[in-house]
Amino acid sequence: MRSLFLFPFALLVSVAAQKLEEINVNKVYHYQPEQVHLAFGANNNEISVTWSTRDATNQSVVVYSENYADTKRLINITGDSRHFVDGGPKAHSQYIHKVTLRDLKPQTRYEYSCGSDFGWSARFTFTTPPAGSDWQPRLAIYGDMGNENAQSLARLQQDTQQGMYDAIIHVGDFAYDMDTQNARVGDEFMRQVETIAAYVPYMVCPGNHEEKYNFSNYKTRFNMPGEGDSLWYSFDLGPIHFVSFSTEVYYFLDYGLKLLTKQFEWLENDLREANKPENRAQRPWVITYGHRPMYCSDNKEYDCNDKLETFIRQGLPLGKLFGLEDLFYKYFVDVEIFAHEHFYTRLWPIYDFKVYNGSAEAPYTNAKAPIQIITGSAGCKEEREPFSETLPEWNAFHSNDYGYTRMKAYNRTHLYFEQVSDDKNGEIVDSFWIIKDKHVAYSEM
């Protein structure tokens, strides 16, 4: 009788122990760092490390060194965390941690991990850029990559692990969309890109697919330099001054006109500073990137008018306020990079619908207007977009292949671009040089 009486109690204890074990396992998972990604800080010897945990931890720490195995030389840097609650009906909650590593040595490989006493990430690596402006930055550039049909991701992962890039620029539209399924899709996407973004700075700008809940997923998950909530910022890399901005402030005016006016003022101040003779001498190349293009090669594109242009070219329809084409022309921006349309297009140098090639033989040598590139074919669930049956005269080259753009600044006079086709197993389907013997105002050329 006694053994029969004890059997249910033993079973109850066993079930309780199993449930307690499940709770502890879940708790460990909730403290585990994930979605690790890097960005440049205020300058090239600063790197920001960002990651997520499900629950709050007692600290946010990055441990790093040139040799992680040499425990005596490990450096611990503490940062902070932010409680992020998605705007969806389930109010999905997580903690976004940020730590900035400062005073890093130039051209140095570091090993690091991030986390807290409750859990640590794997060990990752990154290499800081060389000092100064006399070196050759290499970048991968693309927009419109989702976590479904992320056609280019595997090739980008391989490129990154082979050390091909100093930075990656994602020109808006992530995950499709980060807020979907109460931000679970955003989490999945950030886990996917950890395989590249934890190894090189992953520089971004917002697209239309980030709009939900006032861009909260975008603004919280990414930590770009400056004080613009990652909506606008700039950074220098070798002989290039990069300028990132939001095209979405022209379209989602229900979040306030102030964002548009503030960004435009910041853009002009930043470009004016970049064009001071001493700055342009050091970094003669000025490259901008924002999500929606000024000119369209797809007449079905919902935000293009009959002239195949968008609001950002001349500004808001009423009064033509805050137009960017005149601003970028005034400060002789060299290259403007866009995405949004799910294909690749290279334009001839263009201003006010007119082509301004350097010459018939060498259109990109001493071009008399900015050169625009649309690179939105990295791959997403919305798939490809068709070109117009009759292409506009400013369209120099186009491709519907899934893929991404590579760029290398050889020196202060030569830039090289190439388009990688993932459909064609990494074949280069387009390549061109931009050459400028001198960087002067377009009106003086």
Side-chain angles (χ1 to χ4, degrees), residues 31 265 271 414:
Y31 294 133
E265 180 182 356
L271 291 171
H414 288 65

Side-chain angles (χ1 to χ4, degrees), residues 145-214:
M145 186 166 74
N147 65 344
E148 292 181 43
N149 191 33
Q151 189 80 14
S152 301
L153 181 59
R155 197 169 302 281
L156 285 162
Q157 290 168 332
Q158 190 174 47
D159 288 355
T160 301
Q161 294 305 315
Q162 291 173 354
M164 290 182 61
Y165 307 123
D166 300 293
I168 291 175
I169 293 177
H170 189 143
V171 194
D173 279 7
F174 309 82
Y176 282 74
D177 298 336
M178 286 196 288
D179 64 275
T180 302
Q181 296 179 19
N182 297 284
R184 296 294 184 185
V185 169
D187 292 338
E188 291 171 9
F189 177 80
M190 297 306 295
R191 292 186 197 110
Q192 284 177 291
V193 298
E194 180 184 84
T195 53
I196 54 180
Y199 298 90
V200 297
Y202 201 77
M203 310 306 287
V204 298
C205 70
N208 55 295
H209 278 268
E210 281 68 72
E211 175 269 335
K212 205 68 176 288
Y213 315 122
N214 194 9

Side-chain angles (χ1 to χ4, degrees), residues 356-424:
Y356 288 92
N357 290 344
S359 66
E361 300 78 19
Y364 296 126
T365 298
N366 296 319
K368 300 176 180 66
I371 297 158
Q372 300 187 19
I373 299 168
I374 301 171
T375 177
S377 60
C380 66
K381 68 180 182 181
E382 292 185 357
E383 301 185 342
R384 313 167 201 255
E385 287 176 343
F387 287 92
S388 305
E389 291 183 10
T390 303
L391 291 172
E393 63 176 353
W394 58 76
N395 189 302
F397 180 88
H398 65 278
S399 171
N400 271 113
D401 290 1
Y402 287 118
Y404 52 95
T405 305
R406 292 182 184 139
M407 190 207 79
K408 183 175 181 178
Y410 273 79
N411 50 43
R412 300 182 188 190
T413 58
H414 288 65
L415 286 182
Y416 174 73
F417 288 85
E418 63 184 23
Q419 182 66 13
V420 180
S421 168
D422 195 73
D423 290 350
K424 296 182 174 65

Side-chain angles (χ1 to χ4, degrees), residues 311-327:
F311 288 167
I312 71 166
R313 192 184 82 80
Q314 292 190 88
L316 298 180
L318 295 177
K320 303 297 183 185
L321 299 173
F322 311 113
L324 293 181
E325 185 173 48
D326 283 345
L327 183 70

Side-chain angles (χ1 to χ4, degrees), residues 17 30 90 162 182 239 248 294 301 331 334 350 399 413 437:
H30 284 188
K90 291 189 177 180
Q162 291 173 354
N182 297 284
E248 305 317 298
M294 291 187 189
E301 186 58 48
Y331 291 103
D334 298 291
I350 186 171
S399 171
T413 58
D437 299 330

